[in-house]
Amino acid sequence: MAHKSRNEWEVPENFSMVVNNIFRSSFPRPENFEFLKKLKLKSILVLIPEPYPEENMQFLKENDIQFFQVGMSGNKEPFVNVPPETITKALEIAINPANHPLLIHCNRGKHRTGCLSGCIRRLQNWSLTMIFDEYRRFAFPKARPLDQQFIELYDSREVYEAALKKKWLPLNW
Amino acid sequence: MAHKSRNEWEVPENFSMVVNNIFRSSFPRPENFEFLKKLKLKSILVLIPEPYPEENMQFLKENDIQFFQVGMSGNKEPFVNVPPETITKALEIAINPANHPLLIHCNRGKHRTGCLSGCIRRLQNWSLTMIFDEYRRFAFPKARPLDQQFIELYDSREVYEAALKKKWLPLNW
């Protein structure tokens, strides 16, 4: 029996924890703000290139949440590709403990967020099989081979070495 | 470029965080033990009724991990149903902070683990829409309507009230 006397939280679609203090989701709408407050976010990392909506900006301001935007257009055949430098920039924001707790989102929480999450898994040394399995779980039914190839070919060594030195890695569970 | 010089972790299939300090996965095999060590588990909650394999028992012993078993057979048409009391018992183990960090698993990490995770979301007051969305993400391509109905009809009030009193709720993100 549902708890009719209590409010149900409106969780954004595709919401999940990546690791401790890093969350992922689709684009949060005002209905989701009450839920998001419970995460006590310090930062939001937005992967869309378009201007952020006024009401979302207001939410960040009211809750003292830092705003990071690393706009990218998604890996679509045949011509649009996410530049690896852009993912590197996003990764450096995402795994920096100074920005945690942090929420990563794009529009659907499938492709751009999926690429970035996949690159975080690379930094955690997950096998590509399990990275792709997770990618497809969130991207279903629209998984893109190009995204998976991007995750596979992304050269994470530089970020990895730098993050190790700064003691940002290994990420805490 | 993959980090060929570093070991890649073998993460169990369907591995994910439910909330902070509660993890879910398919049945961990010996290849996954090194990865699991990184989670610094205090407990494992197993939802299968069969005896736990010797090598897994050995892993628990060596790493000082508590073993909880709440065997259930899964919701299969037309006759097998998970008794609500069984889920209540599993829930009380899963959300008790004294047992954290905790890993919940069954065989595939889809159905029994999905039912229990769904009931955890009920205790977090997620809308059924988002609970089912998450259930299906992990159960794909074998989502079961009966599991979803079980999650919907599960009367969580008693556990909810008891857990509130013990300050086990709200669960920490």
Side-chain angles (χ1 to χ4, degrees), chain B residues 53-136:
Chain B
E54 187 50 48
E55 50 201 0
N56 289 56
M57 274 299 184
Q58 190 61 32
F59 169 73
L60 299 190
K61 203 174 162 187
E62 283 168 13
N63 294 277
D64 205 14
I65 298 171
Q66 294 179 86
F67 177 67
F68 294 102
Q69 182 164 30
V70 180
M72 47 184 91
S73 298
N75 290 303
K76 274 200 190 149
E77 287 92 348
F79 295 123
V80 183
N81 276 291
V82 176
E85 314 82 73
T86 307
I87 281 283
T88 297
K89 198 174 154 195
L91 261 183
E92 284 167 344
I93 294 165
I95 65 170
N96 183 347
N99 302 329
H100 294 174
L102 170 135
L103 172 68
I104 300 163
H105 77 82
C106 50
N107 280 336
R108 307 284 303 166
K110 289 182 187 293
H111 302 112
R112 288 169 278 197
T113 300
C115 285
L116 183 57
S117 300
C119 290
I120 292 175
R121 298 307 186 201
R122 288 280 313 281
L123 297 182
Q124 293 186 289
N125 296 321
W126 283 33
S127 67
L128 287 174
T129 307
M130 289 308 162
I131 294 176
F132 295 163
D133 195 55
E134 182 178 64
Y135 168 84
R136 287 188 298 254

Side-chain angles (χ1 to χ4, degrees), chain A residues 1 3 9 122 125 156, chain B residues 1 3 9 122 125 153 156:
Chain A
M1 201 183 301
H3 303 292
W9 298 103
R122 288 279 314 281
N125 296 322
S156 58
Chain B
M1 202 183 299
H3 304 291
W9 299 102
R122 288 280 313 281
N125 296 321
L153 299 184
S156 58

Side-chain angles (χ1 to χ4, degrees), chain A residues 125-147:
Chain A
N125 296 322
W126 283 32
S127 67
L128 287 173
T129 307
M130 289 307 162
I131 295 175
F132 294 163
D133 194 55
E134 183 178 63
Y135 167 85
R136 286 189 298 255
R137 205 180 295 142
F138 288 91
F140 180 81
K142 295 184 181 291
R144 294 178 181 159
L146 267 193
D147 280 352

